Amino acid sequence: MRQRPAHASRERPERASRLRPVNASATALGARIRCVAVLFGVCLLACAAGAGGLGLLSTASAAQRVKLGVRLAPERLGKGTTIEFSIQISAQGKLVPSPLSELDFRYPAKIGLVTSGLGRASCTAAVLEELGKGGCPANALMGFGSALVEIQVGREVVHEAGVMSIWMGPVADEKLQLLFYASAVTPASEQLIFPGLLEEAGPPFGGSLDTQIPPIPWNPEAPPASIARFTARIGPQDVTYYRHAGSREIPYRPEGLRLPHSCPRGGFPFEGIFKFMDGTTTTSRTSVPCPRHSA
């Protein structure tokens, strides 16, 4: 994971774009929540829905439960795949969970991100902030995602959904960096950009997505919004890259994250360690069963 792509220069980690507090009118509230909902996809590596193995297991802290699901599509040993991560967060005895403040998402050893053919180019937070996703090279796209946030207004809970795109960012402290870009689906044209660093992890894992989640304000006099659910996928599903052939650009589909040639006993392990603003920590684990046949 410490290999540096040739296209990227060494930089410090990008910082998340800040949100400006807004009033609680219905229009502003809906626009703001749609924007912040996508932020978390941040995370992930976060990173296709569909066929493949699925594992679910959750462990609870004193206040939050996190259910982690992972899919590999397709799941063929030694071949490229798209990884989809889905997380559901709920509260015990509360209308909404405490806002998430930190995520350490761990994935199996020998999953070839560096050799995946993804991230042939890179983008920066400054470009995304100024030009949006249209300003980034197509070959920097890593995947897509969606999210749902909850905010408590009195005894009522407001739910808003949003979408995101995930980009290869500049190398930061000799680590690969992903940039998660969230834009509102309303005329308010809000946006959020959030970075995650890919780091090494001890056995049985090979790497982790290390992400600090800042508060997500929606009103200066109210607690931050809470992430209730998100899905992020990294891989070639719905992703198109381009190669040059003389004066032409030829579209192609990148191979994707390469699975190892063998599956560990018990399947491919995944783990998420989640820290919340109320001081609690929850660990959620799952595994994707080994495929019946290697193609």
Side-chain angles (χ1 to χ4, degrees):
M1 277 302 178
R2 294 185 180 275
Q3 180 176 348
R4 183 186 306 174
H7 61 265
S9 61
R10 180 174 179 177
E11 297 187 15
R12 293 188 178 274
E14 301 276 3
R15 292 184 176 180
S17 296
R18 294 183 177 178
L19 289 173
R20 298 185 304 275
V22 296
N23 62 48
S25 71
T27 301
L29 175 60
R32 178 64 62 185
I33 302 176
R34 288 188 179 91
C35 178
V36 299
V38 215
L39 152 69
F40 196 88
V42 164
C43 321
L44 274 160
L45 186 67
C47 14
L54 171 64
L56 290 175
L57 175 68
S58 67
T59 60
S61 69
Q64 272 70 230
R65 291 183 183 271
V66 180
K67 181 179 289 187
L68 171 65
V70 180
R71 293 181 187 268
L72 304 174
E75 188 185 3
R76 297 196 297 265
L77 298 180
K79 304 296 183 180
T81 189
T82 294
I83 300 182
E84 178 187 87
F85 305 85
S86 61
I87 293 176
Q88 298 181 43
I89 304 175
S90 59
Q92 295 179 320
K94 297 180 180 179
L95 292 178
V96 299
S98 176
L100 190 65
S101 61
E102 184 177 348
L103 164 66
D104 183 5
F105 188 90
R106 301 179 181 185
Y107 51 89
K110 299 181 180 179
I111 287 187
L113 178 60
V114 174
T115 59
S116 66
L118 294 167
R120 293 288 187 181
S122 64
C123 196
T124 66
V127 169
L128 284 167
E129 191 166 347
E130 182 178 357
L131 302 175
K133 61 184 182 180
C136 291
N139 290 6
L141 183 61
M142 300 291 289
F144 301 93
S146 61
L148 180 76
V149 298
E150 295 180 337
I151 64 167
Q152 182 174 345
V153 182
R155 298 299 299 173
E156 300 295 325
V157 177
V158 179
H159 301 83
E160 288 292 341
V163 296
M164 70 178 178
S165 55
I166 307 168
W167 303 85
M168 177 63 76
V171 168
D173 297 329
E174 300 185 354
K175 298 181 179 72
L176 295 179
Q177 180 179 206
L178 300 183
L179 298 176
F180 297 81
Y181 176 77
S183 56
V185 293
T186 69
S189 189
E190 297 285 355
Q191 65 180 21
L192 285 173
I193 303 145
F194 200 83
L197 288 179
L198 294 169
E199 300 186 303
E200 294 180 351
F205 308 104
S208 72
L209 177 64
D210 184 13
T211 310
Q212 301 288 324
I213 312 299
I216 305 172
W218 63 275
N219 184 291
E221 298 181 359
S226 298
I227 301 297
R229 183 170 69 245
F230 78 85
T231 299
R233 66 181 188 264
I234 292 181
Q237 182 173 311
D238 300 324
V239 171
T240 301
Y241 280 10
Y242 296 88
R243 63 168 60 95
H244 291 280
S247 60
R248 297 188 304 156
E249 285 190 334
I250 308 298
Y252 73 96
R253 188 177 182 176
E255 180 183 9
L257 299 156
R258 184 180 291 272
L259 292 176
H261 289 279
S262 62
C263 182
R265 185 175 181 179
F268 293 107
F270 295 85
E271 179 181 81
I273 301 174
F274 306 89
K275 295 184 179 181
F276 297 89
M277 289 182 62
D278 64 2
T280 60
T281 297
T282 298
T283 298
S284 185
R285 304 181 183 93
T286 188
S287 62
V288 175
C290 296
R292 293 183 179 180
H293 303 285
S294 58

